[in-house]
mmCIF file of all heavy atoms in Angstrom:
data_model
loop_
_atom_site.group_PDB
_atom_site.id
_atom_site.type_symbol
_atom_site.label_atom_id
_atom_site.label_comp_id
_atom_site.label_asym_id
_atom_site.label_seq_id
_atom_site.Cartn_x
_atom_site.Cartn_y
_atom_site.Cartn_z
ATOM 1 N N PRO A 246 -1.584 -10.608 7.271
ATOM 2 C CA PRO A 246 -0.762 -11.550 8.055
ATOM 3 C C PRO A 246 -0.451 -10.960 9.437
ATOM 4 O O PRO A 246 -0.688 -9.779 9.699
ATOM 5 C CB PRO A 246 0.515 -11.678 7.203
ATOM 6 C CG PRO A 246 0.128 -11.229 5.837
ATOM 7 C CD PRO A 246 -0.931 -10.199 6.013
ATOM 8 N N GLU A 247 0.082 -11.791 10.303
ATOM 9 C CA GLU A 247 0.481 -11.313 11.620
ATOM 10 C C GLU A 247 1.496 -10.184 11.489
ATOM 11 O O GLU A 247 2.262 -10.124 10.524
ATOM 12 C CB GLU A 247 1.086 -12.460 12.443
ATOM 13 C CG GLU A 247 0.092 -13.568 12.796
ATOM 14 C CD GLU A 247 -0.994 -13.080 13.736
ATOM 15 O OE1 GLU A 247 -0.709 -12.164 14.545
ATOM 16 O OE2 GLU A 247 -2.113 -13.611 13.660
ATOM 17 N N GLU A 248 1.509 -9.303 12.465
ATOM 18 C CA GLU A 248 2.386 -8.133 12.403
ATOM 19 C C GLU A 248 3.850 -8.522 12.216
ATOM 20 O O GLU A 248 4.557 -7.947 11.364
ATOM 21 C CB GLU A 248 2.229 -7.293 13.670
ATOM 22 C CG GLU A 248 0.896 -6.566 13.763
ATOM 23 C CD GLU A 248 0.809 -5.700 14.995
ATOM 24 O OE1 GLU A 248 1.738 -5.776 15.846
ATOM 25 O OE2 GLU A 248 -0.172 -4.943 15.135
ATOM 26 N N ASP A 249 4.316 -9.491 13.007
ATOM 27 C CA ASP A 249 5.718 -9.904 12.909
ATOM 28 C C ASP A 249 6.043 -10.443 11.515
ATOM 29 O O ASP A 249 7.118 -10.177 10.966
ATOM 30 C CB ASP A 249 6.043 -10.958 13.972
ATOM 31 C CG ASP A 249 6.052 -10.395 15.375
ATOM 32 O OD1 ASP A 249 6.113 -9.144 15.497
ATOM 33 O OD2 ASP A 249 6.008 -11.165 16.340
ATOM 34 N N ARG A 250 5.103 -11.196 10.951
ATOM 35 C CA ARG A 250 5.326 -11.765 9.622
ATOM 36 C C ARG A 250 5.371 -10.658 8.572
ATOM 37 O O ARG A 250 6.218 -10.687 7.671
ATOM 38 C CB ARG A 250 4.208 -12.755 9.300
ATOM 39 C CG ARG A 250 4.255 -13.320 7.874
ATOM 40 C CD ARG A 250 5.578 -13.991 7.575
ATOM 41 N NE ARG A 250 5.645 -14.459 6.204
ATOM 42 C CZ ARG A 250 6.774 -14.683 5.557
ATOM 43 N NH1 ARG A 250 7.938 -14.465 6.164
ATOM 44 N NH2 ARG A 250 6.762 -15.117 4.319
ATOM 45 N N LEU A 251 4.491 -9.680 8.693
ATOM 46 C CA LEU A 251 4.456 -8.592 7.722
ATOM 47 C C LEU A 251 5.711 -7.731 7.830
ATOM 48 O O LEU A 251 6.256 -7.275 6.814
ATOM 49 C CB LEU A 251 3.208 -7.745 7.940
ATOM 50 C CG LEU A 251 2.653 -7.007 6.721
ATOM 51 C CD1 LEU A 251 2.444 -7.960 5.553
ATOM 52 C CD2 LEU A 251 1.365 -6.295 7.071
ATOM 53 N N ILE A 252 6.198 -7.526 9.041
ATOM 54 C CA ILE A 252 7.449 -6.772 9.223
ATOM 55 C C ILE A 252 8.611 -7.552 8.620
ATOM 56 O O ILE A 252 9.496 -6.974 7.961
ATOM 57 C CB ILE A 252 7.683 -6.487 10.720
ATOM 58 C CG1 ILE A 252 6.668 -5.455 11.224
ATOM 59 C CG2 ILE A 252 9.107 -5.987 10.958
ATOM 60 C CD1 ILE A 252 6.730 -5.202 12.715
ATOM 61 N N GLU A 253 8.615 -8.867 8.837
ATOM 62 C CA GLU A 253 9.678 -9.702 8.269
ATOM 63 C C GLU A 253 9.672 -9.618 6.739
ATOM 64 O O GLU A 253 10.735 -9.486 6.109
ATOM 65 C CB GLU A 253 9.476 -11.147 8.719
ATOM 66 C CG GLU A 253 10.527 -12.116 8.187
ATOM 67 C CD GLU A 253 10.245 -13.553 8.587
ATOM 68 O OE1 GLU A 253 9.347 -13.772 9.420
ATOM 69 O OE2 GLU A 253 10.909 -14.454 8.048
ATOM 70 N N VAL A 254 8.490 -9.674 6.152
ATOM 71 C CA VAL A 254 8.375 -9.559 4.692
ATOM 72 C C VAL A 254 8.872 -8.201 4.233
ATOM 73 O O VAL A 254 9.591 -8.089 3.224
ATOM 74 C CB VAL A 254 6.913 -9.780 4.259
ATOM 75 C CG1 VAL A 254 6.726 -9.415 2.786
ATOM 76 C CG2 VAL A 254 6.505 -11.227 4.489
ATOM 77 N N LEU A 346 3.880 -0.980 11.143
ATOM 78 C CA LEU A 346 2.939 -1.054 12.266
ATOM 79 C C LEU A 346 1.883 0.039 12.162
ATOM 80 O O LEU A 346 0.690 -0.196 12.420
ATOM 81 C CB LEU A 346 3.705 -0.939 13.588
ATOM 82 C CG LEU A 346 4.576 -2.146 13.960
ATOM 83 C CD1 LEU A 346 5.403 -1.844 15.199
ATOM 84 C CD2 LEU A 346 3.702 -3.387 14.186
ATOM 85 N N ILE A 349 -0.521 -0.895 9.382
ATOM 86 C CA ILE A 349 -1.420 -1.980 9.807
ATOM 87 C C ILE A 349 -2.558 -1.407 10.653
ATOM 88 O O ILE A 349 -3.738 -1.758 10.464
ATOM 89 C CB ILE A 349 -0.642 -3.042 10.592
ATOM 90 C CG1 ILE A 349 0.294 -3.821 9.656
ATOM 91 C CG2 ILE A 349 -1.603 -4.004 11.287
ATOM 92 C CD1 ILE A 349 1.222 -4.779 10.388
#
Side-chain angles (χ1 to χ4, degrees):
E247 294 294 330
E248 289 183 353
D249 290 344
R250 174 57 183 158
L251 207 52
I252 290 175
E253 180 183 350
V254 170
L346 290 173
I349 290 173

